[in-house]
Amino acid sequence: MVEGMGYTSLLRMCAALNINCMNSNTFIKYKNEVVSVTCEKTRAHLREESVPAIVKYYGEELDRHPDDEGILDIDVTFDGSWHTRGHTSTLGCAAVIDAHTGLVVDYDTLSKKCTMCTRMNTNLKKKKIQQEQYEEWKQKHLDQCMLNFEGSSGAMEERLAVQLWGRSTDIKVRYCTYIGDGDCSAYRALQQINNNQGPYINHQIVKEECINHVHKRMGTALRKLVQVTTMDYETKGGTKKKKVLSGKGKLSEPVIEKLQSYYGKAIRDNVGGSVADMKKAIWATFYHCTSTDSQPRHNLCPHGEKSWCFWNRAIALQEKEREEKDRLQREKEEALGESSATCVSFYGNPKKPKTSFKMPSHKDMKVFFSLEKSDLDKVKQLYIRLADEDLLKRCLQGKTQNPNESLHSRSDALGQENTYNAHCSKR
């Protein structure tokens, strides 16, 4: 069961070891008992250990305390997961995790399939059992039926969100800050509870963004732009389409990865700061990477010798070299004394010292691509959308869904399908 194997795998193992195997009904019976106890202990742990630890942390570290009703407003991350990819899974799960402590607050599962129901329906169609036997079995099976959801697999996350938020006050917490990915379907479903007043009516749910997912949007948007920007050209075999923005010196995959990385770093470096600084940092990466020797655009880049911008760093070093030569010239003139003053009055003011420093070329940048103005404007539109102040405002906390992703990967690694299904049967 820990490895996610069913009764068939047990039969094969017993056959390989040349030992007798238990009956399938016995296996199912003990499986349900073991998983039922595990789930009960897990929920008891969440209720008796996790929630009190979260309440203590919020009081001591964040100075946030329960209200008059004894309910605490907390910040959580939420994400759904499926047993298989492609929104065709019959099994889905979701967990609510506290954003500050990383402790699981609550979880639930949904299933679109019950293996026992499928088996009995097959037996009924093949007339292996009579209708009366089926009806009698059905009445006894209702309490243990694994089927608890009908609809598309993608809608499971919305249903799970509604269920988890709807019962949060039972454990004396409210999920008032919801950190999630770009999919707003679950958030919209929460807003529509209680005639569009939300699950808490007088307490609003604020949606924050997972900065990891926002980071990925830049790469996704640029790759999509490359795919859709094409031109027709004639060949011997007929008309074909050519990607205009791909290739060397344009939006190649390494360039897209760098632009995505710079965009994500601009967000992370300004977490806890202001939206204006975050927006400025994002635009600095765009203008920096689209600059040329004839048209350098580094006004938004940091200045000084330690700047990450090679151009502004070169200007600072050039100015430093010029100042050093000026200083040496002044010291030399002071050492000459009056004779220097006489020479200056006779020959005029000396020329400004020249510098041997040579400005680097933009073609040597790690990210250098050259596009036509119309194509560059398309890229700029992506930056306008992804540097929107409303979006960046939801990134200021710098929170991620990493706890949820870690939990999902752990569940997948252990293959907990049987555990989830058995848990579903108890709900």
Side-chain angles (χ1 to χ4, degrees):
M1 284 164 46
V2 171
E3 294 299 327
M5 298 178 182
Y7 181 70
T8 303
S9 298
L10 180 62
L11 278 176
R12 292 174 180 171
M13 184 185 73
C14 291
L17 297 175
N18 196 25
I19 60 176
N20 294 329
C21 183
M22 69 179 73
N23 183 273
S24 61
N25 291 332
T26 305
F27 175 82
I28 294 172
K29 173 187 174 182
Y30 285 113
K31 180 194 73 171
N32 290 339
E33 289 181 3
V34 170
V35 175
S36 177
V37 172
T38 303
C39 291
E40 289 176 4
K41 287 186 176 181
T42 301
R43 290 201 171 278
H45 177 79
L46 295 180
R47 183 175 61 254
E48 299 170 7
E49 301 291 338
S50 292
V51 174
I54 292 170
V55 173
K56 181 180 179 181
Y57 178 88
Y58 274 72
E60 295 178 352
E61 302 295 333
L62 304 179
D63 196 23
R64 195 187 304 179
H65 305 278
D67 60 12
D68 296 337
E69 299 177 358
I71 300 176
L72 176 68
D73 295 345
I74 65 175
D75 309 328
V76 300
T77 64
F78 171 79
D79 192 24
S81 181
W82 292 265
H83 187 244
T84 56
R85 291 180 178 272
H87 293 287
T88 59
S89 176
T90 59
L91 180 68
C93 64
V96 174
I97 302 178
D98 178 64
H100 300 284
T101 63
L103 296 175
V104 178
V105 186
D106 198 2
Y107 70 97
D108 211 339
T109 58
L110 293 176
S111 176
K112 297 197 297 180
K113 182 181 178 181
C114 176
T115 54
M116 291 299 296
C117 288
T118 303
R119 182 184 303 174
M120 293 302 289
N121 287 329
T122 302
N123 291 339
L124 181 63
K125 289 180 180 179
K126 293 181 177 180
K127 297 183 180 181
K128 291 183 178 181
I129 58 174
Q130 301 298 322
Q131 184 68 35
E132 293 78 10
Q133 293 176 299
Y134 176 80
E135 294 296 337
E136 182 181 354
W137 171 85
K138 190 71 174 177
Q139 290 300 320
K140 295 179 181 179
H141 176 70
L142 286 177
D143 293 338
Q144 296 183 343
C145 185
M146 299 175 185
L147 177 63
N148 61 356
F149 179 77
E150 293 182 1
S152 66
S153 299
M156 285 183 174
E157 188 174 19
E158 302 173 30
R159 175 71 68 81
L160 288 166
V162 171
Q163 291 180 184
L164 293 172
W165 259 258
R167 68 187 189 214
S168 66
T169 53
D170 295 342
I171 53 177
K172 300 300 182 181
V173 291
R174 294 189 196 91
Y175 313 138
C176 288
T177 301
Y178 159 34
I179 301 165
D181 52 27
D183 182 10
C184 294
S185 59
Y187 180 65
R188 286 195 297 268
L190 293 174
Q191 298 293 81
Q192 293 169 2
I193 301 176
N194 293 327
N195 295 322
N196 297 323
Q197 297 185 63
Y200 309 128
I201 302 179
N202 296 325
H203 295 78
Q204 183 183 5
I205 302 174
V206 179
K207 174 75 160 55
E208 298 287 342
E209 295 289 343
C210 168
I211 60 174
N212 285 343
H213 284 83
V214 175
H215 171 198
K216 292 178 183 177
R217 291 184 197 178
M218 177 59 74
T220 302
L222 289 172
R223 291 183 184 95
K224 184 177 179 180
L225 180 64
V226 171
Q227 291 293 330
V228 300
T229 307
T230 59
M231 63 176 295
D232 296 333
Y233 70 100
E234 296 295 333
T235 64
K236 294 181 179 180
T239 304
K240 292 186 177 180
K241 291 187 178 296
K242 179 181 179 181
K243 296 177 183 178
V244 178
L245 302 182
S246 64
K248 186 177 180 180
K250 297 184 180 180
L251 288 178
S252 60
E253 185 60 28
V255 169
I256 291 177
E257 290 178 357
K258 284 289 185 181
L259 292 175
Q260 176 180 319
S261 177
Y262 294 163
Y263 174 76
K265 189 176 187 305
I267 292 176
R268 289 181 174 84
D269 288 349
N270 290 277
V271 165
S274 66
V275 173
D277 290 340
M278 189 178 291
K279 187 174 183 178
K280 177 182 176 182
I282 292 172
W283 280 110
T285 64
F286 171 77
Y287 287 117
H288 174 87
C289 294
T290 57
S291 295
T292 61
D293 291 339
S294 60
Q295 191 178 10
R297 298 187 291 180
H298 303 280
N299 293 333
L300 297 180
C301 298
H303 296 270
E305 298 177 36
K306 297 182 179 180
S307 172
W308 54 259
C309 174
F310 78 100
W311 188 263
N312 286 344
R313 186 170 63 248
I315 291 177
L317 292 173
Q318 185 183 48
E319 186 62 30
K320 182 179 180 180
E321 182 180 342
R322 182 179 288 113
E323 289 177 357
E324 180 66 16
K325 288 194 173 185
D326 283 341
R327 184 184 65 79
L328 293 174
Q329 181 69 19
R330 287 193 301 270
E331 290 178 356
K332 183 178 180 180
E333 291 176 356
E334 290 173 0
L336 292 175
E338 295 181 359
S339 59
S340 175
T342 304
C343 293
V344 170
S345 61
F346 183 80
Y347 293 105
N349 293 327
K351 294 183 179 180
K352 194 171 184 179
K354 293 183 178 180
T355 176
S356 60
F357 194 91
K358 184 179 179 181
M359 293 298 290
S361 172
H362 284 79
K363 292 184 179 180
D364 297 330
M365 288 195 301
K366 292 181 179 179
V367 179
F368 178 78
F369 62 99
S370 179
L371 301 177
E372 298 291 337
K373 185 179 183 306
S374 59
D375 295 328
L376 189 60
D377 288 340
K378 295 178 182 178
V379 178
K380 187 174 182 180
Q381 290 301 316
L382 295 181
Y383 274 82
I384 292 175
R385 176 166 61 85
L386 295 176
D388 180 72
E389 292 186 0
D390 291 336
L391 172 62
L392 300 183
K393 184 179 179 181
R394 298 195 295 271
C395 298
L396 288 178
Q397 286 197 36
K399 299 296 183 180
T400 70
Q401 286 181 306
N402 286 350
N404 296 80
E405 302 294 350
S406 177
L407 180 64
H408 295 163
S409 65
R410 178 65 177 168
S411 300
D412 293 340
L414 293 178
Q416 293 291 340
E417 180 176 9
N418 291 329
T419 302
Y420 289 149
N421 284 344
H423 173 61
C424 290
S425 67
K426 301 299 180 184
R427 300 218 56 79

